[in-house]
Amino acid sequence: MNTPLPPAEELALIDRELAQLDARRLYLLGRRDWLLRLPIPPVWAPAAPARPTEASAPSAQNVLLTLGAVLLAVAALAFTLLSWGSLGIAGRSAVLAAVTAAALAAPAVLLRRGLASTAESVAAVGLLLTVLDAYALYAVGMPGTDGTAYAAGAAAVLAAVWAGYGAALRGLRIPLPAAVLAAQFPLPLAALAAQAGPSELGWALLATAALDTALALRTRAAAVPAAVLGAGALLIGAAGSWSAASADDALAPAGLLLAGAALGTAAAWREPRAWPAALAGGLAAVIALGGLARPGLNDAVSGGAWAVLAHLLAALPLLATVRVRALPAPVRRGLGLAGAVAAGLAALAAASAAASALAARAGVLGEVWAATEPVRDPLWPGAAVPVTLLVAAGAAGWLSRAWERPEPAAVAVVLAWAGLFAAPELLGLPVAAVFAVQTAVTGAAGVLALRSPERAAAIAAAGCALLGAVNVSLGALDGRAATFAVWGLLGAGCAAGAAYGPAPRPVRAGAAVCAVGYATGLLVATAAGTDLAVVWWALPVLAVPAAVAALGPRLGAVRVPAEIAAGAAGVLALVLSAGRAGTLALALALAGVICSGAAVRADRRRLGWAAGALLAAASWVRLAEAGITAPEAYTLPVTVPALVLGFVRRRKDLAASSWTAYGPGLAATLLPSLLAVLAGPQAGTASWLRPLLLGLSALAVTLLGAHRRLQAPLLLGGGALAAVALHELAPYVVQLAGALPRWVAPALAGLLLLAVGATYEKRLRDARRLRDAIGRLG
């Protein structure tokens, strides 16, 4: 506890504190008086945050004005259509005149007072009232007049009135677009009223589009109707040109199309952003000129092949405009694209005919070496297709130089190859000449792919060479001599291309794969020409992987793709030999020997695993063919020394894995015994003996692998043990499943999924731990 001060000392302390407080108070009062004499603006307390507005004032105003204009328009329509008959002629005229005059005069007053939005809304109502006035005039004063003709005249008058009204009140934005919209109807409606034909209607649309084009230079609102009506006129002209039965019938559509082309070019000339108009005009000119030539060509020959060529020739001058510097850039762009589009469509039409003719060769697979006659396409004359393709290829090549782009060069390569490749077939040349020309064209495409400095052209040429090789190879299957001649030439060419060092690596790799494929095909064809059974065809086919394995490092950059293709040939050999166990065992053994020879090289050691598996499989197939019921008698003598050698190697080489040391020996016994167990008990043997012995052996191997921390014994033994257990328990599981209700299995599956989902993260962590534990084993 604090000891209380004596009264005298406490009184003195209080006096000192009061004196200090008085001094501080006097200082603060003086400071306050000095601050009040300074010109400091008052500090206001921060206002509470206002509620955010969900709509701005202009937006709300526009909504209200729009709703008001709509309601007035609805009222005017209701009055005109429903209440019109209750008034006399004078009353009707007076009401409409007064309301229309007021609605048209009010915007001037509103604009002077700065109410522009309100003026726009009232002006819109006034324009609508003028339409109602026109309808009322027709209904009362001219009921017998043709409605379409009256509508055409009324649209013209309204367009003029609205344009003048908009010019008088320049602050309004609605009248001029409305006048442009009304101006779209007079000429087309007049043509319909005169019961004009399609050509006259097209001219009416085109004339209106020309008027819109002229207006579009002053107001953008006319650009859209100009494009729509111009497109309609060109479509009418194109339909008439395509349906013309003679050149005389095609004159009128051609005139319409050429006029549209001139209009589109003029629009692009005056407005840089209107280059699509030049594109449409260029296409219209191509259709017009081609349409003049088409009827005569159709009369001369069957089909439309030469007509397509005529359209292509008409498109070539448009491509030349790319280099005409006197033309504005938008015009050159539009006309050049029009020529490219027309040429592309012509090339596609010709290419489809060539593809249909060449695709018929796939029917050879139904009956090989039958020497059937080729099927000709009567709808496409022989010379038209290749000529069209070659002309289009020349145009694409010219564009590649004009535009300095690689894509047209690639297109030129494809089109030139297609034209030259399809020419002998479509011209009906003899079979030998067809194969000779097509093989030469395919070889030329391959050479271009190897030597072309442009990557795009090289890739295109490589694709053409591959497609041509496949097609001519299919066609060669129709005759035995053709098969050997064509496949031999193509295989030799592919081998030469794979060895050509300066060529791009992907092209060389593809050539190597094709060379291996052709070598395999020639060997199969050779075997098929003899009296050997199909199972014996595998032996000559195995010569291909043997040759590739022998060449090895000499293959250089194409070694890997060649070896992959050789592996595919080896798989084909095994498939061919699968019809007889003895032949399959021999093929497996030879394949194992080939893999063993390749595994001698340091960079192909992994092929030793494949060699071991193939040799083991060969021995198993041989034992199965011999009817051996106890494979252990043949596998154990191999397993014991293999395990001893593996044990010695592990002691000398600490880096050797258990798979290298013990894997082959364990697999040599466990797998054949497991296959024997899965195949079922043999006659005269106890059904429980082999599964019991194999299970005990697998259990011992598994425990030994776990004790010595060895991966190969643990996994091989555990896998064999699990397989034997499942095989032995399978009958009981089937019986139990048959005894249980059918809803049990889905219920158990659902519970399992729920359990797994609930502990998903823990399961993943446990799986990773198990994987890491197995990975740490020897």
Side-chain angles (χ1 to χ4, degrees):
M1 296 178 62
N2 295 329
T3 303
L5 295 175
E9 293 183 4
E10 185 176 359
L11 181 61
L13 178 61
I14 291 173
D15 290 339
R16 287 196 299 273
E17 293 291 338
L18 290 175
Q20 291 178 0
L21 291 175
D22 291 338
R24 181 64 178 170
R25 184 173 182 275
L26 290 175
Y27 169 76
L28 293 176
L29 289 174
R31 185 69 178 171
R32 180 177 182 276
D33 293 338
W34 180 78
L35 291 174
L36 290 175
R37 290 193 295 269
L38 294 178
I40 300 177
V43 178
W44 302 99
R51 184 184 301 274
T53 58
E54 298 182 358
S56 63
S59 299
Q61 168 189 290
N62 294 335
V63 170
L64 293 177
L65 292 176
T66 303
L67 288 176
V70 170
L71 291 177
L72 287 177
V74 171
L77 288 173
F79 171 77
T80 304
L81 298 177
L82 301 178
S83 300
W84 184 254
S86 61
L87 299 176
I89 297 176
R92 288 177 281 186
S93 301
V95 169
L96 273 180
V99 173
T100 304
L104 294 177
V109 179
L110 294 173
L111 286 175
R112 284 196 297 269
R113 297 190 176 184
L115 302 175
S117 298
T118 306
E120 293 284 355
S121 300
V122 176
V125 175
L127 298 180
L128 176 62
L129 288 175
T130 58
V131 177
L132 297 179
D133 288 337
Y135 168 74
L137 179 62
Y138 171 75
V140 175
M142 304 178 184
T145 307
D146 180 46
T148 306
Y150 178 82
V157 172
L158 289 176
V161 171
W162 291 350
Y165 183 70
L169 299 179
R170 297 184 179 276
L172 297 177
R173 293 176 295 179
I174 290 181
L176 288 180
V180 171
L181 179 61
Q184 309 307 309
F185 299 100
L187 292 180
L189 289 178
L192 293 176
Q195 297 182 354
S199 180
E200 289 77 9
L201 179 60
W203 279 107
L205 293 176
L206 187 61
T208 307
L211 176 62
D212 293 334
T213 303
L215 292 176
L217 299 176
R218 301 187 60 182
T219 176
R220 294 182 180 179
V224 174
V228 173
L229 295 183
L234 294 181
L235 288 176
I236 291 175
S241 177
W242 288 331
S243 61
S246 63
D248 294 337
D249 295 340
L251 284 176
L256 178 61
L257 290 171
L258 291 176
L263 177 61
T265 305
W269 198 299
R270 292 294 302 272
E271 175 56 48
R273 290 173 296 181
W275 65 266
L279 170 61
L283 292 176
V286 171
I287 296 173
L289 298 178
L292 291 175
R294 185 188 57 81
L297 295 175
N298 283 349
D299 291 341
V301 293
S302 61
W306 294 107
V308 172
L309 180 59
H311 285 80
L312 174 59
L313 294 177
L316 295 182
L318 298 179
L319 296 176
T321 59
V322 177
R323 289 292 186 89
V324 181
R325 299 301 177 184
L327 297 175
V331 177
R332 294 200 308 269
R333 181 183 182 185
L335 295 181
L337 286 176
V341 170
L345 293 176
L348 284 177
S352 64
S356 62
L358 297 177
R361 285 182 167 175
V364 170
L365 296 176
E367 190 175 359
V368 179
W369 293 348
T372 59
E373 289 294 330
V375 179
R376 311 294 182 184
D377 187 358
L379 297 180
W380 280 78
V385 173
V387 170
T388 303
L389 291 173
L390 292 177
V391 172
W398 187 88
L399 274 182
S400 177
R401 294 190 298 272
W403 287 349
E404 296 181 355
R405 297 282 301 177
E407 293 84 2
V411 174
V413 169
V414 174
L415 293 177
W417 169 83
L420 295 175
F421 190 85
E425 180 75 17
L426 296 174
L427 291 175
L429 297 182
V431 176
V434 170
F435 284 127
V437 174
Q438 291 182 343
T439 304
V441 172
T442 302
V447 172
L448 181 61
L450 295 172
R451 301 179 65 88
S452 176
E454 297 184 1
R455 182 176 180 83
I459 294 176
C464 292
L466 178 60
L467 184 59
V470 172
N471 191 271
V472 76
S473 299
L474 282 176
L477 288 174
D478 197 38
R480 183 173 302 185
T483 300
F484 287 101
V486 173
W487 287 21
L489 287 174
L490 292 177
C494 291
Y500 185 69
R505 180 171 294 182
V507 177
R508 293 182 59 198
V513 172
C514 291
V516 174
Y518 276 114
T520 305
L522 285 173
L523 290 174
V524 172
T526 303
T530 64
D531 295 333
L532 293 176
V534 176
V535 293
W536 293 106
W537 296 3
L539 301 183
V541 172
L542 286 174
V544 174
V548 173
L551 292 174
R554 298 180 182 178
L555 298 176
V558 300
R559 180 181 182 183
V560 174
E563 288 179 343
I564 294 175
V571 173
L572 175 63
L574 297 181
V575 172
L576 291 174
S577 64
R580 184 182 299 172
T583 311
L584 177 60
L586 179 59
L588 289 170
L590 292 176
V593 171
I594 294 172
C595 291
S596 300
V600 173
R601 298 187 176 94
D603 56 346
R604 293 294 184 267
R605 296 296 189 197
R606 294 185 177 180
L607 289 177
W609 292 97
L614 289 171
L615 293 174
S619 63
W620 298 340
V621 172
R622 181 65 66 183
L623 293 176
E625 182 191 21
I628 301 301
T629 59
E632 294 81 5
Y634 299 90
T635 57
L636 285 176
V638 178
T639 297
V640 173
L643 294 177
V644 172
L645 291 176
F647 178 76
V648 173
R649 180 177 180 181
R650 285 271 296 180
R651 296 193 61 180
K652 293 183 178 181
D653 184 7
L654 299 179
S657 67
S658 61
W659 287 102
T660 305
Y662 305 121
L666 292 174
T669 294
L670 290 177
L671 292 181
S673 300
L674 181 60
L675 292 176
V677 169
L678 297 179
Q682 301 293 328
T685 61
S687 61
W688 55 270
L689 182 58
R690 175 175 282 115
L692 177 62
L693 295 177
L694 179 58
L696 293 175
S697 302
L699 177 62
V701 170
T702 304
L703 295 176
L704 181 61
H707 176 69
R708 303 294 297 177
R709 301 176 61 84
L710 298 176
Q711 191 178 98
L714 177 62
L715 295 182
L716 288 176
L721 181 60
V724 171
L726 290 176
H727 179 266
E728 294 302 309
L729 292 176
Y732 304 101
V733 173
V734 171
Q735 293 178 3
L736 180 62
L740 292 176
R742 294 186 177 182
W743 57 266
V744 173
L748 294 177
L751 292 175
L752 177 62
L753 291 177
L754 290 176
V756 172
T759 59
Y760 184 72
E761 184 176 1
K762 184 176 182 299
R763 305 292 181 187
L764 289 178
R765 185 171 62 251
D766 295 342
R768 294 191 191 98
R769 290 176 179 175
L770 178 60
R771 181 194 62 190
D772 296 338
I774 294 176
R776 289 192 296 269
L777 298 179

